[in-house]
Amino acid sequence: DIQMTQSPSTLSASVGDRVTISCRASQTINSWLAWYQQKPGRAPKLLIYKASTLESGVPSRFSGSGSGTEFSLTISSLQPDDFATYYCQQYSSSWTFGQGTKVEI
Amino acid sequence: EVNLVASGGGLVQPGGSLRLSCEDSDSESTLRTYSMTWVRLAPGKGLEWVSYISSSSGTIYYSDSVKGRFTISRDNAKNLVFLDMDNLRDEDTAMYYCARISHSSSWLMDCWGQGTLVTVSS
């Protein structure tokens, strides 16, 4: 099974900050990586797929990069609505998620 | 507009059973044309994929943690997807979400429903 390791597990930031979350796969997944945002009591929301493709309707301050085993999600200027938990997910072979990164004030 | 809703959760004793359902509340739903998955979020843990079913029900997968205890199925005439959970364990306690697999990007979960909470406790 492919394991996904996300870091950090918690990230303290302020509105306007640039933040980056990292995700590493235990073996190559090419670009079959997605990023999701989840707020308490809500369903996960797709932000980015195929490592760097922005889902329709997602603000352009979100961006993704990487391929192979190393990936990252960047929020260029953190907004109040962005405080949430973020998950990476590989969909190259079955589906596995990172353990999540909680972005908090 | 797609609006997936999961239901059927509740409190059940260890060893018990539950049936979860997932529907699209859109009257013009095309849910029958999509492959679907179930994913869960246990307290204090991350997301975990549970099961997959293709649009025709011809292909079904389970995670090792639920294989032999959970059964996924669907009724395309009613635009419903089910997860039958038997021999439930404490560690099955979680919020369960149904998620749609994209038509345009293989294996991508592009739309998720509101979850339903399953609590396994004596």
Side-chain angles (χ1 to χ4, degrees):
Chain A
D1 291 1
I2 300 175
Q3 307 301 316
M4 305 300 293
T5 303
Q6 239 179 285
S7 62
S9 55
T10 305
L11 192 160
S12 297
S14 301
V15 172
D17 284 354
R18 180 184 180 89
V19 301
T20 298
I21 299 168
S22 298
C23 182
R24 174 179 293 176
S26 60
Q27 63 191 75
T28 184
I29 56 171
N30 296 309
S31 295
W32 302 118
L33 184 104
W35 290 96
Y36 297 90
Q37 177 193 67
Q38 187 173 30
K39 297 180 180 179
R42 304 286 296 275
K45 173 187 173 183
L46 176 64
L47 299 176
I48 286 169
Y49 61 96
K50 215 169 180 186
S52 60
T53 303
L54 198 66
E55 172 72 342
S56 176
V58 174
S60 59
R61 63 181 178 273
F62 291 91
S63 63
S65 64
S67 66
T69 62
E70 300 285 342
F71 302 89
S72 63
L73 171 72
T74 298
I75 308 172
S76 61
S77 177
L78 201 64
Q79 299 301 301
D81 191 47
D82 301 338
F83 291 96
T85 299
Y86 294 84
Y87 294 94
C88 63
Q89 178 214 43
Q90 68 81 19
Y91 53 105
S92 170
S93 173
S94 186
W95 301 268
T96 46
F97 296 85
Q99 65 268 47
T101 295
K102 184 177 181 180
V103 176
E104 60 183 21
I105 299 174
Chain B
E1 182 180 338
V2 178
N3 184 24
L4 299 176
V5 178
S7 61
L11 175 63
V12 61
Q13 292 186 337
S17 299
L18 276 178
R19 167 174 261 206
L20 305 185
S21 300
C22 175
E23 66 175 329
D24 180 0
S25 61
D26 179 4
S27 60
E28 302 295 323
S29 176
T30 58
L31 194 65
R32 66 178 66 84
T33 69
Y34 288 88
S35 298
M36 295 292 294
T37 64
W38 287 94
V39 178
R40 65 186 180 185
L41 180 63
K45 297 194 175 182
L47 293 165
E48 178 191 15
W49 166 72
V50 172
S51 186
Y52 163 94
I53 187 167
S54 64
S55 58
S56 67
S57 302
T59 301
I60 287 173
Y61 302 124
Y62 299 100
S63 67
D64 288 343
S65 60
V66 308
K67 198 174 297 181
R69 300 187 298 121
F70 290 12
T71 303
I72 193 170
S73 61
R74 65 191 304 160
D75 182 339
N76 283 345
K78 296 181 179 178
N79 278 314
L80 288 168
V81 178
F82 304 104
L83 185 68
D84 288 298
M85 305 185 296
D86 296 319
N87 192 18
L88 282 161
R89 305 168 179 169
D90 291 351
E91 56 264 34
D92 295 318
T93 293
M95 185 70 77
Y96 284 74
Y97 301 95
C98 54
R100 188 183 76 176
I101 297 294
S102 170
H103 277 166
S104 58
S105 185
S106 299
W107 306 112
L108 174 69
M109 298 178 190
D110 69 345
C111 183
W112 296 58
Q114 295 303 311
T116 188
L117 181 62
V118 172
T119 303
V120 184
S121 175
S122 55

